[in-house]
Amino acid sequence: MPEGTGLRFAGLADLARVKDLSASGVCCETSRPLPLLSQVQVVLLLPASAGRSPHEVACTGAVVRCARGASGFEVAVFFTEMDDPDRAALEAYVTSESLAARAG
């Protein structure tokens, strides 16, 4: 993921490191485990890219995987609720990063 892409979970002080991001979910590394199938409040920090300013995307998700990783816990979250403007911003970001990766 590009530098500056981050994620915060409500109730956790640490910023999670995003490993993989799509319009429907995220895989990240956290310092603590999250219970499987728990509902979590998430804020994605999308950096400026392709002429867009930085954007925070707030949503609700369900933890679908949590496993011990090399430097903490690898957590996968499926997004269950997101406002339309945030979903559009996330989809545009994911699309631009996918195109950049193919061109790069």
Side-chain angles (χ1 to χ4, degrees), residues 13 16 22-23:
S22 73

Side-chain angles (χ1 to χ4, degrees), residues 52-82:
R52 286 187 302 277
S53 58
H55 189 85
E56 287 192 359
V57 172
C59 61
T60 302
V63 176
V64 294
R65 185 176 73 244
C66 182
R68 183 167 290 284
S71 59
F73 294 87
E74 186 173 284
V75 176
V77 175
F78 175 75
F79 302 138
T80 57
E81 293 181 39
M82 187 181 304

Side-chain angles (χ1 to χ4, degrees), residues 6-16 41-45 56-57:
L7 181 142
R8 288 191 312 257
F9 288 101
L12 290 180
D14 300 340
L15 189 66
Q41 299 298 314
V42 175
V43 177
L44 287 163
L45 312 169
E56 287 192 359
V57 172

Side-chain angles (χ1 to χ4, degrees), residues 21-23 46-53 55 57 82 84-100:
L21 177 64
S22 73
L46 305 180
S49 67
R52 286 187 302 277
S53 58
H55 189 85
V57 172
M82 187 181 304
D84 289 340
D86 282 342
R87 184 167 302 281
L90 177 58
E91 288 174 352
Y93 176 76
V94 168
T95 299
S96 70
E97 290 304 313
S98 177
L99 292 173

Side-chain angles (χ1 to χ4, degrees), residues 18-53:
V18 175
K19 295 178 69 175
D20 190 28
L21 177 64
S22 73
S24 60
V26 64
C27 179
C28 61
E29 287 185 354
T30 65
S31 60
R32 293 191 282 164
L34 296 174
L36 195 60
L37 300 179
S38 62
Q39 294 292 308
V40 291
Q41 299 298 314
V42 175
V43 177
L44 287 163
L45 312 169
L46 305 180
S49 67
R52 286 187 302 277
S53 58

